[in-house]
Amino acid sequence: MAEAQRLEQDKTREQNWKRWGPYLSERQWGTVREDYSSNGDCWNYLTHDHARSKAYRWGEDGLLGYTDRECRLSFALALWNGKDPILKERLYGLTGPEGNHGEDVKEYYFYLDSTPTHSYMRGLYKYPQNEYPYEWLRTENSQRSRLQDEFELDDTGIFNNNEYFDVFVEYAKNTPDDTLILITIHNRSDKIAPLHVLPTVWNRNTWSWGSNQEGYWPKPEGSVNSQNRYLNKHKSLGNFLFAAEALENSKKTHPAVKSAEWIVTDNETNLKKLYNVENQSQHVKDGFHEYVINGRKTAVNSDRVGTKAAALHYVEVPAKSSVQIKLRLFSENSKNSEIFGSEFDRIFSERKKECKIFYDGIFPSTLTDDEKEISSQAYAGLLWSKQYYHYTIEYWLKGDPAQPTPPQERRDGRNNDWNHLFNRDVISMPDKWEYPWYAVWDLAFHCVAFSAIDIEFAKSQLGLMLREWYMHPNGALPAYEFNFGDGTFQLEINLKFTEI
């Protein structure tokens, strides 16, 4: 089987098939890692509203996204229906204090398929065609008690009359460093519906902190080249190209695509907006929001140079119909006879078939087709929940040389006795929105399920938690980022690892 062969090649390091995957978090804002407050109030230190304007320190997030195993260069989808007050760049949900049952994502998205090497993946996001009810969801849930049901997105009537898009995102690897991306947008309503689609690539900001430690690379060089492709030059990752079919050959583009253009900015904090001080960069993280929604042309770089780029498509999707957008992210060293066309379609077709063949070989022959589909989607949920997780307690407590000194109170606060902890790995998460941090007792159970499809990954995850840069010198395993030393769970954790 082709997927089994890829797993073996990855195990023996013959081919780095797992270099890229769904390792991008669904939520980086509101996490302990990004919290530099004096009182440990992570939910309010960096909010959903801040997220579009502030460069993250310890990771990235995006909608059904894709990144390399060190989160150097990421891809994700952004959308605008012409009515929302902000771009849909990330999933929205209530914080712990806002939800009547705690934190709660208020979106509908689904992980549908994935092979263990992520040679094929498919996800779905349901995007309303009318204005998303951000404030209504927040206020209604805040007024409800714990004894009442949660007020969900569907309760608002936003999907009435089928006025929404089904947005499918699919990935297929040609080689470990050559990924094909297919976005299929279905208009489920009985009226033509406009949509701005922003397939976006960007570099994680590793240069603004003044750190010379491992993993803090200089600012990459990104620009649209003479072939009308975005070329990204990264010191560690190498040179990668991002191409869009609509910008390569407009004659082959779907007639529903009315326009397409490159827009480029920088993944830098908008200091003026957030702190009322002068920006260090003319073009900042929320430049696409300003350009698309507010029509501010100067918000993006007119020379098309920067560390964040999007192939902005404006589409008008006919009623009960669909449109496809084809993209490709690949190493400059890739040897491709053609970027799009029949070869693109052939690779996608092959990877879909290989995904099915792999799971057919795993499942008992007694399963019905429906049971196989349910089981393969369950594995998809597990595989899509891998996430790049970066957290170094020593640097987090001290702060960064090029940033304001954190409050002194933090030295005696959360996780101060885990100064040895250095996390910079792809780890299986309980959930990449509600729990975008590893919980070691959950991880033990994840590895039981992983062992049926990727035993090497399962073993590596368990081994990781026992390494000296994870495990405490007193023998405790790291529980979860809100309190790594939570003694309540230490006995349970040790029992689970012993059983496995």
Side-chain angles (χ1 to χ4, degrees):
M1 292 189 298
E3 181 60 16
Q5 184 179 11
R6 281 189 283 267
L7 283 167
E8 182 63 22
Q9 289 174 337
D10 191 83
K11 174 186 173 181
T12 59
R13 301 191 178 185
E14 180 184 346
Q15 296 259 28
N16 196 356
W17 281 106
K18 296 178 189 172
R19 189 187 200 194
W20 295 84
Y23 313 141
L24 191 66
S25 181
E26 303 287 3
R27 176 173 65 82
Q28 184 69 16
W29 61 272
T31 60
V32 168
R33 283 153 286 154
E34 299 293 340
D35 176 24
Y36 284 78
S37 68
S38 60
N39 61 353
D41 184 5
C42 60
W43 286 116
N44 289 308
Y45 183 80
L46 202 170
T47 67
H48 177 268
D49 195 47
H50 296 154
R52 69 177 176 274
S53 304
K54 184 175 176 63
Y56 294 129
R57 170 63 178 80
W58 296 100
E60 289 293 343
D61 61 18
L63 187 60
L64 295 177
Y66 187 78
T67 190
D68 70 274
R69 67 192 322 151
E70 294 185 59
C71 197
R72 290 162 289 194
L73 183 66
S74 299
F75 168 88
L77 194 58
L79 304 163
W80 188 50
N81 55 18
K83 298 175 183 177
D84 282 351
I86 60 175
L87 282 182
K88 180 63 70 174
E89 295 178 281
R90 57 188 53 81
L91 298 171
Y92 174 73
L94 304 177
T95 67
E98 289 173 341
N100 62 321
H101 296 154
E103 62 266 38
D104 185 19
V105 63
K106 297 297 185 184
E107 305 269 17
Y108 295 122
Y109 62 106
F110 306 87
Y111 301 143
L112 302 177
D113 284 301
S114 182
T115 57
T117 64
H118 312 294
S119 57
Y120 177 70
M121 299 194 303
R122 183 170 64 109
L124 166 64
Y125 173 65
K126 291 182 176 289
Y127 186 44
Q129 294 173 4
N130 292 309
E131 183 176 344
Y132 187 94
Y134 291 101
E135 186 60 21
W136 189 7
L137 288 167
R138 189 188 67 80
T139 56
E140 178 64 30
N141 279 285
S142 68
Q143 293 167 6
R144 295 192 177 194
S145 75
R146 291 182 179 272
L147 300 178
Q148 293 177 282
D149 290 341
E150 297 166 4
F151 184 62
E152 303 292 5
L153 181 59
D154 193 44
D155 296 329
T156 68
I158 194 74
F159 294 105
N160 288 355
N161 303 315
N162 291 325
E163 293 182 346
Y164 68 94
F165 299 102
D166 270 338
V167 183
F168 290 88
V169 182
E170 296 176 81
Y171 300 92
K173 291 181 184 177
N174 178 34
T175 67
D177 281 331
D178 181 9
T179 303
L180 289 62
I181 306 169
L182 178 63
I183 301 169
T184 306
I185 303 157
H186 293 267
N187 175 7
R188 300 304 188 190
S189 77
D190 58 6
K191 297 180 291 186
I192 189 171
L195 181 65
H196 292 77
V197 186
L198 291 82
T200 305
V201 292
W202 72 99
N203 294 270
R204 179 166 60 90
N205 189 321
T206 60
W207 57 87
S208 292
W209 321 112
S211 176
N212 60 2
Q213 303 296 326
E214 179 185 355
Y216 293 90
W217 302 285
K219 186 175 181 178
E221 298 176 9
S223 62
V224 177
N225 66 12
S226 58
Q227 294 176 294
N228 211 23
R229 298 168 185 167
Y230 177 72
L231 172 61
N232 191 77
K233 299 179 179 179
H234 193 286
K235 183 178 180 180
S236 170
L237 184 64
N239 296 354
F240 272 76
L241 289 154
F242 181 47
E245 183 186 49
L247 293 162
E248 298 264 322
N249 189 342
S250 59
K251 292 180 181 178
K252 292 185 178 180
T253 304
H254 194 285
V257 178
K258 300 303 179 184
S259 65
E261 62 174 319
W262 286 111
I263 53 174
V264 183
T265 187
D266 271 311
N267 186 16
E268 303 268 11
T269 297
N270 188 338
L271 299 170
K272 185 67 175 176
K273 176 182 178 181
L274 295 178
Y275 310 112
N276 198 29
V277 298
E278 290 305 311
N279 284 327
Q280 297 175 350
S281 174
Q282 182 181 353
H283 301 101
V284 289
K285 183 178 177 181
D286 56 14
F288 296 168
H289 167 89
E290 291 295 324
Y291 180 84
V292 174
I293 293 181
N294 296 328
R296 191 161 69 84
K297 303 300 182 184
T298 57
V300 298
N301 191 309
S302 58
D303 293 327
R304 303 192 297 181
V305 172
T307 53
K308 179 180 178 181
L312 171 59
H313 294 68
Y314 174 70
V315 301
E316 293 179 354
V317 191
K320 306 290 185 182
S321 188
S322 64
V323 59
Q324 289 190 328
I325 294 172
K326 296 180 179 180
L327 310 146
R328 197 158 181 164
L329 178 63
F330 56 101
S331 168
E332 191 178 42
N333 298 324
S334 298
K335 296 182 171 114
N336 298 314
S337 57
E338 61 175 352
I339 303 303
F340 299 104
S342 59
E343 182 74 0
F344 185 97
D345 299 334
R346 181 191 63 79
I347 293 168
F348 253 107
S349 178
E350 283 185 2
R351 296 298 174 267
K352 286 181 184 180
K353 290 177 183 176
E354 290 163 0
C355 180
K356 185 178 186 306
I357 290 169
F358 175 80
Y359 284 110
D360 282 346
I362 295 292
F363 299 146
S365 59
T366 53
L367 292 187
T368 66
D369 288 344
D370 284 347
E371 289 170 336
K372 288 180 181 179
E373 187 171 345
I374 291 168
S375 299
S376 63
Q377 189 172 345
Y379 277 121
L382 189 67
L383 288 158
W384 270 86
S385 294
K386 294 180 184 178
Q387 179 187 306
Y388 170 78
Y389 185 90
H390 188 196
Y391 191 20
T392 306
I393 298 292
E394 179 185 358
Y395 306 147
W396 179 74
L397 288 173
K398 287 181 181 178
D400 295 304
Q403 298 296 316
T405 303
Q408 183 64 31
E409 294 92 328
R410 299 172 77 253
R411 296 296 185 96
D412 299 317
R414 179 176 284 144
N415 294 326
N416 70 84
D417 57 341
W418 284 73
N419 216 43
H420 72 287
L421 187 130
F422 183 96
N423 294 172
R424 192 161 71 95
D425 295 285
V426 172
I427 305 176
S428 178
M429 299 290 139
D431 181 284
K432 291 200 298 186
W433 194 96
E434 295 197 6
Y435 308 106
W437 32 262
Y438 65 89
V440 75
W441 63 93
D442 287 40
L443 182 61
F445 288 110
H446 298 177
C447 290
V448 174
F450 266 117
S451 66
I453 56 171
D454 189 354
I455 187 66
E456 295 302 320
F457 182 76
K459 290 191 293 186
S460 69
Q461 291 284 283
L462 296 176
L464 197 60
M465 297 298 134
L466 301 174
R467 300 308 298 258
E468 60 269 29
W469 51 89
Y470 278 76
M471 179 187 280
H472 197 278
N474 67 13
L477 298 178
Y480 54 104
E481 70 176 23
F482 280 87
N483 184 0
F484 280 120
D486 192 335
T488 306
F489 299 101
Q490 284 305 319
L491 178 59
E492 182 184 354
I493 291 167
N494 291 335
L495 285 172
K496 293 296 180 290
F497 270 64
T498 301
E499 289 169 7
I500 291 169

